[in-house]
Amino acid sequence: MAKTLLILGAGGHGKAVAEAALLSGSWQQILFVDDRWPALQESFGLPVVSDVAGLAGCVEKAQGAIAAVGNNTVREQWCKAIEQAGIELVSVVHPRAYVSSSVVLGAGTAVMALAVIGVDAQVGRAAIINANATLDHDAVLGDFGHLGVGVQIAGGVHVGARAWLQAGCSAGYNVVVPDAENVPAGTALRAE
């Protein structure tokens, strides 16, 4: 039976998650939920079927859902809406990403193309490891955390819940990034 994934958010990140889901082979159909509906009927050649307020009406249409928006606060709200609607919160891993078999990956997480998650790393709920980002061995990315494109996180780093490391950031060994920290693009973090 063909499996259908509901993706909340039909913007750039949502389209990338849709492509990753289809390429993974785990999902054969994609439906978007986006607050620009009904004006927005299609994204990435795929149908937009509802806004977030109408999510409960989509329960019978899909076997899983993921919140695909870069804003950590909105992603958290949308995950709650998915669970309140009774839809399973699922992760999407691009087939060209590497995730160690020892990794603990939280529900609702998106792992994008060429991302690497090393041995014994831990990833919280609904996190984003964006294209070409690395979360190396023994590192932790908290719930609703976001590693932007090309972010490089060394072993043992702890990135707090809802923290966002924007594109091109790096964190050396044993750095701790506080919860909800917004780290500007290209920042190099070093342990104290």
Side-chain angles (χ1 to χ4, degrees), residues 1 23 43-44 76 84 88 91 95 106 115 119 126 138 142 147 149 154-155 157 160 165 168 184 187-188:
M1 182 181 98
L23 289 172
S43 180
F44 190 56
E76 183 174 7
Q84 287 171 351
E88 181 183 0
S91 294
V119 65
D138 303 298
L147 302 184
V149 172
V157 170
L165 280 73
T187 301

Side-chain angles (χ1 to χ4, degrees), residues 8-35:
L8 279 65
H13 183 59
K15 293 187 290 185
V17 170
E19 182 178 59
L22 292 169
L23 289 172
S24 76
S26 298
W27 302 96
Q28 290 73 46
Q29 297 175 334
I30 304 291
L31 299 174
F32 282 112
V33 171
D34 192 284
D35 284 341

Side-chain angles (χ1 to χ4, degrees), residues 20-189:
L22 292 169
L23 289 172
S24 76
S26 298
W27 302 96
Q28 290 73 46
Q29 297 175 334
I30 304 291
L31 299 174
F32 282 112
V33 171
D34 192 284
D35 284 341
R36 294 172 290 174
W37 177 89
L40 180 66
Q41 292 285 310
E42 184 181 290
S43 180
F44 190 56
L46 300 165
V48 180
V49 297
S50 177
D51 56 15
V52 176
L55 185 59
C58 300
V59 172
E60 301 300 319
K61 297 178 182 176
Q63 289 71 54
I66 185 169
V69 62
N71 182 300
N72 296 340
T73 302
V74 173
R75 194 165 63 258
E76 183 174 7
Q77 293 166 351
W78 286 0
C79 285
K80 289 177 184 173
I82 289 168
E83 291 174 325
Q84 287 171 351
I87 304 170
E88 181 183 0
L89 184 63
V90 299
S91 294
V92 170
V93 178
H94 193 288
R96 301 261 335 254
Y98 173 75
V99 180
S100 170
S101 61
S102 64
V103 168
V104 176
L105 195 67
T109 291
V111 182
M112 306 313 293
L114 303 180
V116 174
I117 307 178
V119 65
D120 287 340
Q122 297 177 40
V123 180
R125 289 171 40 81
I128 297 173
I129 297 93
N130 222 320
N132 201 35
T134 299
L135 185 70
D136 205 4
H137 66 85
D138 303 298
V140 174
L141 177 59
D143 292 347
F144 310 104
H146 183 172
L147 302 184
V149 172
V151 169
Q152 302 298 303
I153 302 297
V157 170
H158 189 283
V159 178
R162 296 168 199 82
W164 178 25
L165 280 73
Q166 296 182 33
C169 288
S170 63
Y173 296 103
N174 302 313
V175 164
V176 175
V177 179
D179 290 354
E181 188 81 5
N182 184 345
V183 182
T187 301
L189 303 170

